[in-house]
Amino acid sequence: MTSTAPVVTRFAPSPTGNLHVGNIRTALHNWLLAKKHGGRFLLRIDDTDAARSREDYVEAIRADLAWLGLHPDGEERQSLRFALYEEAFQRLAGEGRVYRCYETAQELDLKRKILLGRGLPPIYDRSALHLTEADHAAKEAASERPHWRFKLDHDSPITWDDGIRGPQHFDPRQISDPVVRRADGSWLYMLPSAIDDVAMGITDVLRGEDHVSNTAAQVQMFAALGANPPRFAHGALLTGAEGKLSKRLGSLGVADLREAGIEPEALVALLARLGTSDPVDPALDADALAASFDLSRFGRAPARFDDTELHRVNAAIVHHLPFARVRHLLPEGMGEAAWDAIRPNLAHIGEAADWWSVVTGPVAAPEQDAETRTFLHTAAQVAAGLDWADPWPALTQTLKDATGRKGKALFLPLRQALTGMDHGPDMKALLPLIDRAEAVRRLSA
Ligand code: GLU
């Protein structure tokens, strides 16, 4: 691959469950890298496992990516590509790069235990390589069907320059020949993935560090397929605030996040930067995040993901969202001025409705002492005579001059009478949203 090849990335989920935060992060990183280079981001549905793959999960994956704004530039499905795998497989079989094995799961388990008991790494002993054609014929006659392993080349050391982990070296003798095909003919993940990465022209594979040992074997599969491997980068896994990512946090899916009032922009802003020392910047949209996406900023230490931070970023994002983005989520009648006035007070868009009902009323104001009631009556009279385009500065200045009240004694009773609350949006922005007659009524109540 030359460095001028256009960047093509892929997100390759298995549709055996809903996407969780970790997958979403992988999808995002692949999307960001492709966008940064003006390249293409492909979705590949890894549904070779017919028993565990489900169509509703395929649809949920597409819907989740759409919600996140990560629109694929193309989609492939492994279950429609079996002919391609068969062809490559037959070639590899002809070259002796895949070989037939008959050990049962129990036999393999026993072999592993014996090796571990001797303090040796549990590497497959390749005994199936010593079977003769007569042995195979006898197995076949006894209706034993083989599964297939890819034969690693023990004489070529495995190396790649990982975009996040730096130079990687593996001794192929320390790795078991991976099983690539089951006895029933079905495919395991490893080989179809490498075949597809070649066929789809994938230039960059970004995935979690739980795939590092797969990459070691796949590097040799690319060579066996006559192709150069893509560039690889393996991101550190996510952890929770206190060590390991909790099951709950780790399994959070788009539906849970939506329900918690998390906006896609917040997830994108956080997951684009988590694992780097760069700050999360709620002002950056996905394109800006793509432009500044840089694998070399990612560290090898686990990236800390926690709820508190997600909600903090979400609030900061909500404070930036333009009216056009949220209008369909707001209560009837709530316009742009109201959104702009209210959004700095929101943790979630859903809370806008609460503040809008403060604007439209009725509100229940706290009891006030006699002197404050007099003050509020004066306020009602002043308000009745004000131009309502920007009433708050005039109202407070007039009252300050007339009553000598200032600071909290001036502002708090007005806020309480007008909103029923002790805190909330800036009154200068909020008051003009409240109908003048209604404001006067609240002040004189
Ligand atoms: N289907 C694999 C997974 O979900 C894909 C891994 C890869 O990116 O190659 O783990």
Side-chain angles (χ1 to χ4, degrees):
M1 182 177 43
T2 67
S3 57
T4 54
V7 166
V8 185
T9 64
R10 88 302 196 270
F11 174 50
S14 303
T16 54
N18 285 311
L19 299 184
H20 53 72
V21 173
N23 310 128
I24 292 170
R25 180 165 175 250
T26 298
L28 173 66
H29 288 180
N30 281 284
W31 184 90
L32 290 167
L33 190 72
K35 291 302 138 190
K36 178 190 171 107
H37 296 286
R40 294 193 308 137
F41 165 71
L42 305 177
L43 173 61
R44 189 183 80 204
I45 302 292
D46 280 7
D47 58 349
T48 54
D49 187 341
R52 292 176 59 229
S53 296
R54 276 175 32 190
E55 202 52 34
D56 53 333
Y57 288 134
V58 174
E59 273 153 32
I61 288 166
R62 294 192 192 116
D64 288 355
L65 292 179
W67 181 76
L68 289 157
L70 309 180
H71 302 288
D73 300 302
E75 180 183 314
E76 298 293 351
R77 264 184 103 121
Q78 291 200 315
S79 57
L80 301 176
R81 299 166 68 82
F82 290 164
L84 185 69
Y85 309 151
E86 190 66 51
E87 186 202 312
F89 178 82
Q90 292 306 336
R91 216 167 48 237
L92 294 173
E95 293 163 2
R97 286 309 296 273
V98 290
Y99 62 95
R100 290 165 287 179
C101 304
Y102 300 87
E103 293 92 346
T104 62
Q106 289 89 325
E107 283 166 347
L108 291 172
D109 197 41
L110 191 61
K111 286 189 191 213
R112 266 193 299 269
K113 283 190 178 132
I114 292 170
L115 288 169
L116 287 170
R118 289 193 203 136
L120 295 169
I123 300 164
Y124 176 60
D125 62 9
R126 290 189 156 180
S127 51
L129 274 181
H130 306 301
L131 297 173
T132 62
E133 277 314 312
D135 295 331
H136 286 295
K139 301 254 182 212
E140 197 176 325
S143 302
E144 274 190 66
R145 305 276 304 279
H147 59 272
W148 296 77
R149 287 185 188 261
F150 177 78
K151 189 175 158 203
L152 291 166
D153 177 356
H154 280 183
D155 297 321
S156 5
I158 297 166
T159 63
W160 75 90
D161 193 8
D162 194 283
I164 293 174
R165 299 165 66 83
Q168 302 289 297
H169 298 275
F170 284 83
D171 176 356
R173 289 167 212 273
Q174 297 301 310
I175 305 171
S176 290
D177 288 338
V179 178
V180 293
R181 197 168 192 184
R182 298 187 190 88
D184 65 2
S186 64
W187 301 101
L188 280 113
Y189 150 76
M190 295 275 271
L191 184 60
S193 179
I195 295 170
D196 281 338
D197 286 339
V198 176
M200 292 164 67
I202 302 301
T203 60
D204 294 79
V205 171
L206 265 68
R207 53 190 180 188
E209 67 182 12
D210 50 330
H211 281 289
V212 167
S213 60
N214 290 340
T215 300
Q218 285 175 329
V219 162
Q220 287 209 354
M221 291 182 187
F222 285 104
L225 293 166
N228 287 323
R231 286 178 289 258
F232 286 101
H234 295 85
L237 300 183
L238 296 178
T239 61
E242 293 108 24
K244 206 169 149 0
L245 190 60
S246 70
K247 224 171 158 133
R248 187 197 65 77
L249 216 51
S251 64
L252 277 187
V254 161
D256 308 302
L257 294 162
R258 276 176 97 144
E259 202 171 312
I262 300 298
E263 299 306 321
E265 293 92 336
L267 209 53
V268 164
L270 179 61
L271 295 179
R273 289 287 165 81
L274 207 61
T276 72
S277 50
D278 299 332
V280 174
D281 186 344
L284 296 184
D285 66 8
D287 289 330
L289 287 169
S292 60
F293 185 68
D294 181 356
L295 284 178
S296 72
R297 310 290 301 168
F298 286 83
R300 289 186 60 170
R304 231 190 67 174
F305 174 80
D306 69 74
D307 265 346
T308 326
E309 165 120 52
L310 180 58
H311 284 275
R312 188 187 61 73
V313 172
N314 194 63
I317 288 282
V318 169
H319 302 167
H320 278 83
L321 291 178
F323 178 64
R325 157 72 175 78
V326 299
R327 97 191 293 159
H328 63 290
L329 303 169
L330 301 179
E332 180 73 29
M334 186 173 167
E336 183 158 10
W339 170 249
D340 289 346
I342 286 168
R343 68 180 177 176
N345 284 78
L346 304 178
H348 308 131
I349 296 174
E351 294 166 1
D354 302 338
W355 287 110
W356 183 242
S357 67
V358 166
V359 169
T360 55
V363 300
E367 285 294 318
Q368 303 285 8
D369 60 37
E371 197 200 325
T372 303
R373 282 204 301 275
T374 312
F375 163 72
L376 290 172
H377 275 112
T378 312
Q381 282 160 11
V382 175
L386 285 177
D387 169 22
W388 213 246
D390 185 20
W392 183 251
L395 177 67
T396 49
Q397 190 58 52
T398 310
L399 288 169
K400 188 177 177 184
D401 296 343
T403 68
R405 284 190 182 230
K406 56 183 170 38
K408 195 173 163 189
L410 172 66
F411 297 117
L412 186 60
L414 290 172
R415 178 183 283 282
Q416 288 173 331
L418 287 163
T419 69
M421 312 278 286
D422 291 348
H423 58 86
D426 180 12
M427 288 303 295
K428 179 171 155 58
L430 194 67
L431 185 53
L433 302 170
I434 302 171
D435 178 68
R436 179 166 57 183
E438 171 67 13
V440 170
R441 230 176 352 259
R442 291 180 193 180
L443 291 167
S444 36

